[in-house]
Amino acid sequence: MVRLFIAIEIPEEIKSQYAEAQEMIRSSRARLTMVQPGDMHITLKFIGEVEGSRLPSIIAALQTVSGAPFILDLGSITLNSPRSPRVVWGDVHDPGACSTLPKTIEKTLEPLGIPVEGRRFRPHITLARIRQFHPDIFQEVAEISSSCTGSFSVDRFVLKKSELTPQGPMYSDLLEVGL
């Protein structure tokens, strides 16, 4: 079995901004698990666990996906939910091209038995997962909400393998598809 997802890579200069923001929220009394800056990405499609024998057909299908490069703008750092936050993330403003790509990928993979996501796609970059909530996380995040700015061009997506380890997930690239 292999655990797979499809992602957009984040430029190093943006990862650095988010790493600085992570340092500023470490003082929160909420128990947080920080995402390693090198692992930051935008998930387009979480495939999950599949038989290794299915990997060649998934790769072949993804190689048929086409699109045009597009620009994404960084938004505020915020929480995924005001009532029951579980994730600190960087919002990403998408003029539309980024939300089209996951739909195209899902239509390409659906004939292979990979289910379509029921939730609306919302591009974001996860900075931390909240393992134990504390109300001070609201103030901590508010203080860094506008600390990351910029935009970046997206001209490819990547099929990644994720291996869960006690030290956290280990990602490896299996396929890169240019747009």
Side-chain angles (χ1 to χ4, degrees), residues 9 13-14 28-30 49 60 65 71 82 86 88 92 96 99-100 107 114-116 118-119 135-136 138 141 165 167:
E9 296 287 358
E13 61 271 13
I14 290 176
S28 170
R29 288 181 280 183
E49 299 272 342
V65 173
I71 303 289
R86 299 210 186 290
V88 178
V92 177
S99 61
T100 302
K107 286 179 186 171
I114 296 171
V116 172
R119 295 178 291 179
D136 80 343
F138 292 111
V141 170
T165 72
Q167 295 77 33

Side-chain angles (χ1 to χ4, degrees), residues 139-154:
Q139 181 61 34
E140 297 284 343
V141 170
E143 289 176 13
I144 64 165
S145 68
S146 61
S147 63
C148 297
T149 60
S151 60
F152 62 99
S153 178
V154 177

Side-chain angles (χ1 to χ4, degrees), residues 12-24:
E12 291 304 319
E13 61 271 13
I14 290 176
K15 290 179 183 179
S16 294
Q17 286 187 58
Y18 284 128
E20 288 176 23
Q22 285 177 317
E23 288 305 313
M24 297 166 72

Side-chain angles (χ1 to χ4, degrees), residues 31 34 37 42 55 58 68 84 105 107 115 123 125 144 157 165:
R31 192 164 54 92
M34 300 293 179
I42 297 171
L55 192 54
I58 292 169
S84 180
I105 289 169
K107 286 179 186 171
I125 302 164
I144 64 165
F157 65 87
T165 72

Side-chain angles (χ1 to χ4, degrees), residues 114-135:
I114 296 171
V116 172
E117 177 67 45
R119 295 178 291 179
R120 180 179 70 86
F121 175 72
R122 181 172 179 186
H124 64 275
I125 302 164
T126 300
L127 278 67
R129 289 178 180 78
I130 301 170
R131 298 297 177 207
Q132 184 176 8
F133 174 77
H134 189 279

Side-chain angles (χ1 to χ4, degrees), residues 106-118:
E106 287 194 319
K107 286 179 186 171
T108 302
L109 295 176
E110 190 175 19
L112 301 177
I114 296 171
V116 172
E117 177 67 45

